[in-house]
Amino acid sequence: QVQLVDSGGGLVQAGGSLRLSCAASGLTFSIYKIGWYRQAPGKEREFVADLSWSSGSTAYADSVKGRFTISRDNAKNTVYLEMNSLKSEDTAIYYCNVVTVGLGTRYPYWGQGTQVTVSS
């Protein structure tokens, strides 16, 4: 059974830093992409950053470029999101997303979410 465990959220002051982790286990197929989305109260879930597992290429939302960095530990099937210079508008529940690919089909999975609260 696929399991994604998000962790690392918390309360931090504006300008501070946090590091989120997402550990994936029980995957049947290879990882295609792994990344993070977030959802603020009253808003839709939005893309934050992702990483292509085979190439290592990364992509970021404009709102976090230069402040957030996504990285991985291949051996542990774990992805990290280093968040610096946090702003109040970064407050949201952050969800890990993994897309695996097998037999020509992509399978998305979501973590349970971890709350990030930035106080101004």
Side-chain angles (χ1 to χ4, degrees):
Q1 184 171 348
V2 175
Q3 187 174 19
L4 301 181
V5 179
D6 305 340
S7 62
L11 173 63
V12 64
Q13 288 188 336
S17 300
L18 283 174
R19 189 174 87 150
L20 306 183
S21 300
C22 173
S25 61
L27 299 175
T28 301
F29 298 115
S30 301
I31 296 176
Y32 169 63
K33 279 193 176 181
I34 188 166
W36 295 91
Y37 287 70
R38 67 186 182 186
Q39 187 166 18
K43 295 187 177 181
E44 294 187 351
R45 191 172 297 188
E46 64 176 6
F47 169 78
V48 176
D50 69 13
L51 183 150
S52 174
W53 202 256
S54 60
S55 68
S57 62
T58 58
Y60 296 91
D62 288 342
S63 58
V64 307
K65 280 181 183 177
R67 300 188 298 121
F68 291 10
T69 302
I70 189 170
S71 62
R72 63 178 170 176
D73 183 328
N74 287 23
K76 296 181 180 179
N77 275 358
T78 297
V79 67
Y80 305 97
L81 186 68
E82 186 74 35
M83 305 186 295
N84 299 314
S85 302
L86 283 162
K87 306 174 181 179
S88 57
E89 51 262 44
D90 294 318
T91 295
I93 300 175
Y94 284 70
Y95 296 92
C96 177
N97 171 257
V98 171
V99 178
T100 63
V101 59
L103 305 177
T105 302
R106 296 181 182 179
Y107 301 89
Y109 300 96
W110 293 94
Q112 82 282 3
T114 184
Q115 176 72 49
V116 171
T117 303
V118 183
S119 63
S120 56

